[in-house]
Amino acid sequence: IYVYILQSLIDNGYYVGICKDLKKRLEKHNKGGVESTKRRKPLRIVYTERFGSYSEARQREKEIKSYKGGESFRVLVN
């Protein structure tokens, strides 16, 4: 299971999510199949982490979202 951060090439905004297959998930985002990013495509992956379980990944996703926009978030995407 992966936690990933996408960056929009339109507005430079970010999206944090989790998935099993990064390639398929990125394709879905870029084809407009994800409501929250369909107006912000194209998107590119700027960060990933891999976890052994969904619960670990979900916890990390929440953690990343909690400091989105702060210094800890900038460290991840740079």
Side-chain angles (χ1 to χ4, degrees):
I1 307 291
Y2 294 91
V3 172
Y4 61 93
I5 300 174
L6 302 179
Q7 183 177 28
S8 168
L9 300 179
I10 298 297
D11 64 10
N12 291 318
Y14 295 97
Y15 175 88
V16 181
I18 59 176
C19 68
K20 289 183 181 179
D21 186 325
L22 286 169
K23 184 179 176 184
K24 285 183 181 179
R25 188 63 174 160
L26 181 60
E27 285 175 7
K28 187 171 183 177
H29 278 284
N30 280 322
K31 288 180 179 179
V34 179
E35 184 66 32
S36 57
T37 60
K38 71 180 182 180
R39 291 172 192 80
R40 300 169 68 200
K41 60 187 174 141
L43 298 122
R44 66 184 181 111
I45 295 175
V46 294
Y47 182 79
T48 63
E49 283 184 43
R50 189 173 183 175
F51 294 89
S53 72
Y54 180 85
S55 61
E56 290 175 308
R58 183 73 174 123
Q59 182 177 356
R60 180 62 170 149
E61 178 195 32
K62 286 181 180 184
E63 179 181 24
I64 291 171
K65 286 179 176 183
S66 77
Y67 51 68
K68 192 170 179 181
E71 182 61 27
S72 295
F73 187 82
R74 282 191 288 278
V75 168
L76 291 179
V77 298
N78 290 324

